[in-house]
Amino acid sequence: MNLTAGLGAQYTTLKAGSDDHSNSAWSLRPRISASYRLSNSSQFRLSFTGRTTAPTPSQTDTGVQQIDGFQYQTGNPGLRSYNTYNAKAQYNFTFPRVSGQLEGRWSRAPHAIAPFMRWEGEKLVTMFENNRGHTSWQVSLSPQVEIIPGILTAKGTLRFYTAHTSGNRYTHRFHCLSGDAAITAVYRSFIFSASYESDPSTLWGETVSRQEQTSTLMLGYRWRGFTFTGGMFMPFTRYSMGSESLNRYNTNRNVLRSPGFDRMPVVQISYNLNWGRQKKGATKLINAEDDIQQSTAAGR
């Protein structure tokens, strides 16, 4: 079992250039990580972290910016820094021909900074506030299966994301199902791979951010340290990403598409160059952002 705990302190101060109003605050940044190896084929990990986010100058600037004919934006000099707490539980498993992980994530920001809209006469004004809180959960399962050992491998991830956010004038809930899948076949010097990936959409304030959806189809050949690869980007799907506003005064959806990515050919030539002295069986402790991992790898 590995246990790590720490506590940090952060001081933030913000002062507008032409305004005498300033905002300063102290905050604590806790961190706890634990990992337990049940057996050679199973391991549990648990982590908890906290961080503080300060308002940006654009969010506190009292100047009025005109967006279009009736939409305007202004800042709020009274914004306060807010804390975000994250917890993650992970179970890694390795069995004959099957390996992967089951993961759960939780995030809570009690007084997150988010934009909100209100009418002032004939103007729709966007402002910023410390809302009543943002909470999100995500559960994912990522298995990898050796269908034919050494020849055919398939892997994928299935994610379920849900979030709840509350402001002084709104409450929204959002659910999203996403994932990715890939298959790789190796025969002698040939490598074939096909993949599809759909990143999870997320909710923050009154905005849903819809992430990329990509797919690839590749065929490679290895020869004397060289790898020649050719294929196609986005052969099955259309590239798109965008956002959606849930505000009752301005409900809309923006979608970004790029036809140039659809069925785009890809050619790659690479060469593997080894140098220096090779070390075998070097055990390294990898201290990641929110968990602790231990691995054995070769170094130079």
Side-chain angles (χ1 to χ4, degrees), residues 102-225:
L102 176 64
E103 183 179 272
R105 291 175 178 261
W106 171 84
S107 178
R108 172 68 178 166
H111 303 288
I113 296 176
F116 72 96
M117 296 181 179
R118 70 180 184 186
W119 283 100
E120 294 183 358
E122 297 182 352
K123 299 179 181 178
L124 182 60
V125 181
T126 299
M127 302 182 65
F128 298 90
E129 65 176 356
N130 289 99
N131 64 21
R132 291 182 293 170
H134 176 272
T135 307
S136 66
W137 299 265
Q138 179 175 291
V139 180
S140 63
L141 176 63
S142 304
Q144 177 172 310
V145 182
E146 289 188 75
I147 302 175
I148 304 176
I151 298 179
L152 187 61
T153 303
K155 64 179 180 179
T157 300
L158 183 63
R159 307 182 192 91
F160 176 74
Y161 170 89
T162 181
H164 174 269
T165 183
S166 298
N168 293 327
R169 300 164 184 85
Y170 63 85
T171 297
H172 297 296
R173 294 181 182 273
F174 177 73
H175 309 282
C176 173
L177 188 65
S178 63
D180 56 78
I183 186 169
T184 303
V186 179
Y187 180 71
R188 294 184 179 179
S189 297
F190 291 94
I191 305 173
F192 170 80
S193 65
S195 67
Y196 169 79
E197 182 175 357
S198 176
D199 293 331
S201 300
T202 57
L203 171 68
W204 187 261
E206 294 190 285
T207 301
V208 175
S209 299
R210 303 192 179 277
Q211 305 301 321
E212 296 179 326
Q213 296 184 7
T214 60
S215 60
T216 59
L217 193 65
M218 308 295 289
L219 178 63
Y221 180 77
R222 292 178 296 191
W223 177 76
R224 295 185 179 180

Side-chain angles (χ1 to χ4, degrees), residues 43-54:
Q43 185 179 36
F44 295 92
R45 292 189 180 126
L46 181 65
S47 65
F48 176 83
T49 59
R51 71 175 187 273
T52 301
T53 303

Side-chain angles (χ1 to χ4, degrees), residues 41-104:
S41 59
S42 301
Q43 185 179 36
F44 295 92
R45 292 189 180 126
L46 181 65
S47 65
F48 176 83
T49 59
R51 71 175 187 273
T52 301
T53 303
T56 64
S58 63
Q59 293 172 338
T60 56
D61 187 3
T62 56
V64 179
Q65 304 178 28
Q66 185 172 358
I67 301 175
D68 54 28
F70 70 98
Q71 294 190 74
Y72 295 80
Q73 177 176 310
T74 184
N76 179 6
L79 290 176
R80 306 181 307 275
S81 301
Y82 68 92
N83 296 324
T84 303
Y85 305 100
N86 300 285
K88 184 175 76 170
Q90 187 180 85
Y91 169 64
N92 296 330
F93 56 90
T94 303
F95 303 107
R97 295 196 180 187
V98 180
S99 61
Q101 68 179 26
L102 176 64
E103 183 179 272

Side-chain angles (χ1 to χ4, degrees), residues 278-299:
Q278 306 298 313
K279 297 180 181 179
K280 296 182 179 181
T283 300
K284 298 181 178 181
L285 184 65
I286 304 173
N287 195 357
E289 177 62 23
D290 57 356
D291 60 7
I292 290 180
Q293 304 181 48
Q294 191 170 11
S295 67
T296 301

